Amino acid sequence: MQAPQLGARLCGNRSLFVKPCVSLNDSSMIQALSHITFIVSDLDRMTRLLATIFDAEEVYSSNEQTFSIAKEKFFLINGLWVAIMEGNPLSEKTYNHIAFKILEKDMDLYTHRIEGLGLELKKARSRIVGEGHSLYFYDYDNHLFELHTGTLQERLRIYAQATTN
């Protein structure tokens, strides 16, 4: 099975894989990911994490004002809007996570940044050869982040090959 082209709407079928079906130009479709919000116990500490690891640019701080449900800050990470809001941290660690794409050659750079903040790297899961490499780490409030070198296209190709062997 050929992997779908990026930018195509993906429709499921009964197999493990997906197939392209309708163009994203359909106005009733989701346009894009708008933003990601994390509830954190310490806005300044999370600001340092986002700036240090992700080169995030802070574009807004509510300071003592609350236009939403709590004090908040907004960041841009390579064009992606990330919001942090003050609140109680997650009570436990899970595998729910957000993954950011990085280049293979930058793995050591990101490892150094993560360890420099005193964050613990989580052991990566086992992988099929060719699906990319990952760094996993929890922030101070139990949010799991992944820095991944692979793409969806690569993963679908590798999984399709694995099922035919």
Side-chain angles (χ1 to χ4, degrees):
M1 170 181 237
Q2 188 174 13
Q5 295 300 309
L6 292 181
R9 178 174 168 213
L10 301 178
C11 292
N13 61 19
R14 293 177 187 241
S15 75
L16 173 67
F17 305 102
V18 292
K19 60 183 178 182
C21 68
V22 176
S23 167
L24 284 180
N25 295 332
D26 184 347
S27 64
S28 65
M29 297 300 303
I30 298 294
Q31 299 297 302
L33 179 64
S34 172
H35 66 280
I36 300 167
T37 301
F38 297 99
I39 305 300
V40 301
S41 58
D42 185 326
L43 292 173
D44 292 332
R45 183 172 60 179
M46 186 61 161
T47 296
R48 283 190 300 280
L49 183 151
L50 293 173
T52 300
I53 296 175
F54 300 105
D55 295 319
E57 174 191 0
E58 184 177 328
V59 294
Y60 170 77
S61 176
S62 67
N63 296 312
E64 296 304 315
Q65 297 178 329
T66 51
F67 296 112
S68 186
I69 62 170
K71 290 191 286 187
E72 61 190 346
K73 290 185 174 190
F74 299 159
F75 300 85
L76 290 175
I77 298 176
N78 198 21
L80 174 64
W81 173 14
V82 174
I84 60 174
M85 300 180 94
E86 192 173 67
N88 294 324
L90 296 172
S91 59
E92 61 185 69
K93 294 177 178 177
T94 73
Y95 189 68
N96 290 332
H97 66 280
I98 181 165
F100 289 91
K101 171 78 171 80
I102 63 169
L103 298 174
E104 182 85 29
K105 70 178 184 66
D106 292 332
M107 291 284 285
D108 289 341
L109 169 73
Y110 284 102
T111 298
H112 179 73
R113 288 179 178 185
I114 294 163
E115 291 174 342
L117 289 173
L119 300 169
E120 183 179 341
L121 286 164
K122 179 179 169 22
K123 186 176 186 223
R125 68 171 178 78
S126 62
R127 297 198 176 269
I128 297 172
V129 174
E131 71 171 300
H133 296 95
S134 292
L135 295 171
Y136 292 93
F137 65 95
Y138 287 98
D139 71 2
Y140 309 104
D141 297 292
N142 295 328
H143 301 108
L144 180 59
F145 291 87
E146 175 185 6
L147 303 177
H148 186 70
T149 63
T151 65
L152 173 60
Q153 293 283 15
E154 292 166 345
R155 176 136 342 151
L156 292 174
R157 182 177 42 78
I158 294 299
Y159 284 7
Q161 289 172 358
T163 59
T164 59
N165 294 335

